[in-house]
Amino acid sequence: MVLIRHRLQQHLKLPLPELEISECSTLCTFLPKPMSDTTIQGVGDFMDLEKLCVLGRGNYGIVYKVRHGQTLAIYALKIIKQDTNEAYVSHEAEILNCIDSPFVVKCHGVFEPRAGEKAILMEYMDAGTLDGIFRANGPFSEASLAHISYQVLNGLKYLHEHNIVHLDIKPSNLLVSKDMKVKIADFGVSKIVHGIVSRAATNYHNMCEGTRAYMSPERLDSHTFGSGCVYAGDVWSLGVTLLELHVGHFPFFPAGKKPTNWMELVLVICFGESPSFPKEASEEFRSFIKCCLEKEPSKRWTVSQLLSHPYVCLGEKLGK
């Protein structure tokens, strides 16, 4: 363990490098044109939006529940702080404005209320986030998670097919409606993969923004685990998310324990034992999570492979 720690200190940069997003200026050439915009949705003036309550707060801004004065339609409005890096602001707004998938939160428009400030108008998901539901109601059943898995994997399939790696899949970034539709949100640290994978791998060390607890081994230690499978990190994050929602705590540590520092987190994720399952866990669920949490990214199942897994097929049937 001492040798591992020494090697990590040699090859991992402290602090983690900032995400470079200058490559995203030609983003919309990679994506289909959105099917809707502010004119079609009927929200043409930022001043027509009435703030009702705060839905959430993050490092870069606040998300409000808002009501459109003329139509009375309800939306979510993310206002990004004025002092936020301008490239970050443009990056998330541009990605959301170009995406159109039933499994990804829809953007209805981007406003600039004040100089240097961006406001992103999005569809309102009336049940909140998976994290909020978990905190209110406790762990999810395998059947519920199968239905969630099917939806999130379809969202990731869309993103990956359009050269987007999300890089921050976690319970609080998965929005839910009251009829249990689940959509991927928050593209602030997402990255566009240009050209062939080898080119993307060259810049993989720039993909270190995000939530470290959900990062895959290759994102935390690319020297040991390689950097060629750029989309595999989203699959790992999904596996951690689902297992956490089922067992009721972060799965790489016992219940009630948290890492004392980020190096301990890296050691456990990269070189520790695989998380354990509840005794009553089904073979299908165990198999699915193991396919997601394969430490070697080249052996980890892809999104397309996971969509054909028996556990996910159960989730597809539940959604019909």
Side-chain angles (χ1 to χ4, degrees):
M1 189 64 76
V2 174
L3 290 176
I4 292 172
R5 184 182 295 274
H6 177 69
R7 184 175 65 192
L8 282 171
Q9 288 173 336
Q10 283 184 316
H11 296 288
L12 292 176
K13 297 181 179 181
L14 297 173
L16 291 173
E18 292 294 319
L19 178 70
E20 293 182 4
I21 56 177
S22 59
E23 298 177 9
C24 298
S25 59
T26 57
L27 168 62
C28 286
T29 61
F30 290 85
L31 296 166
K33 293 181 179 179
M35 293 179 66
S36 60
D37 56 27
T38 53
T39 302
I40 295 174
Q41 294 298 326
V43 182
D45 190 341
F46 178 79
M47 300 306 294
D48 290 339
L49 299 171
E50 175 191 1
K51 293 179 183 177
L52 300 178
C53 64
V54 174
L55 295 174
R57 299 176 186 271
N59 293 330
Y60 299 105
I62 303 175
V63 181
Y64 296 93
K65 179 181 178 180
V66 298
R67 179 171 53 211
H68 184 232
Q70 297 178 15
T71 65
L72 301 183
I74 301 296
Y75 299 95
L77 182 72
K78 181 175 184 178
I79 297 184
I80 303 174
K81 298 175 183 177
Q82 283 184 296
D83 58 355
T84 302
N85 182 282
E86 177 62 29
Y88 169 93
V89 176
S90 300
H91 176 67
E92 181 174 21
E94 192 174 5
I95 286 182
L96 276 172
N97 209 30
C98 290
I99 287 174
D100 185 44
S101 166
F103 302 103
V104 180
V105 67
K106 184 179 290 293
C107 174
H108 292 309
V110 180
F111 301 91
E112 188 171 345
R114 292 178 290 181
E117 186 177 78
K118 282 287 194 303
I120 304 174
L121 188 68
M122 300 172 289
E123 66 177 307
Y124 173 62
M125 301 293 283
D126 52 11
T129 67
L130 287 180
D131 181 60
I133 294 175
F134 166 73
R135 293 177 185 277
N137 302 315
F140 287 71
S141 68
E142 282 191 17
S144 295
L145 290 175
H147 183 44
I148 291 168
S149 302
Y150 171 74
Q151 296 178 82
V152 178
L153 284 169
N154 271 284
L156 288 176
K157 183 174 184 288
Y158 172 88
L159 295 175
H160 293 178
E161 286 177 347
H162 293 90
N163 308 309
I164 299 173
V165 57
H166 187 275
L167 296 176
D168 203 17
I169 295 295
K170 59 181 179 179
S172 59
N173 284 343
L174 298 174
L175 304 184
V176 193
S177 65
K178 288 182 179 177
D179 57 355
M180 281 309 293
K181 288 186 172 63
V182 181
K183 302 193 179 190
I184 300 171
D186 200 331
F187 290 82
V189 300
S190 301
K191 195 168 180 66
I192 310 305
V193 179
H194 292 280
I196 59 175
V197 172
S198 60
R199 178 178 173 184
T202 303
N203 297 312
Y204 201 78
H205 69 278
N206 294 326
M207 295 187 178
C208 293
E209 279 286 310
T211 308
R212 294 169 187 170
Y214 298 90
M215 286 185 184
S216 58
E218 69 273 14
R219 288 183 64 197
L220 293 169
D221 182 10
S222 60
H223 176 78
T224 299
F225 294 95
S227 58
C229 302
V230 293
Y231 299 111
D234 283 346
V235 171
W236 174 279
S237 300
L238 176 60
V240 176
T241 292
L242 297 172
L243 189 54
E244 177 181 7
L245 293 174
H246 185 56
V247 301
H249 60 87
F250 182 65
F252 284 91
F253 288 94
K257 177 176 170 44
K258 294 183 179 180
T260 56
N261 55 64
W262 89 273
M263 183 66 76
E264 181 182 7
L265 185 68
V266 172
L267 289 171
V268 169
I269 291 175
C270 293
F271 305 103
E273 297 292 328
S274 298
S276 58
F277 293 89
K279 292 181 180 179
E280 64 275 13
S282 69
E283 286 302 317
E284 290 81 6
F285 181 70
R286 291 171 187 263
S287 170
F288 176 80
I289 296 297
K290 287 178 180 177
C291 290
C292 293
L293 299 185
E294 168 60 56
K295 290 186 188 292
E296 293 292 338
S298 61
K299 297 179 181 179
R300 199 174 305 148
W301 280 33
T302 65
V303 165
S304 295
Q305 289 174 315
L306 289 170
L307 279 168
S308 65
H309 192 282
Y311 177 70
V312 179
C313 293
L314 168 65
E316 182 181 7
K317 292 177 182 177
L318 289 174
K320 293 181 178 179

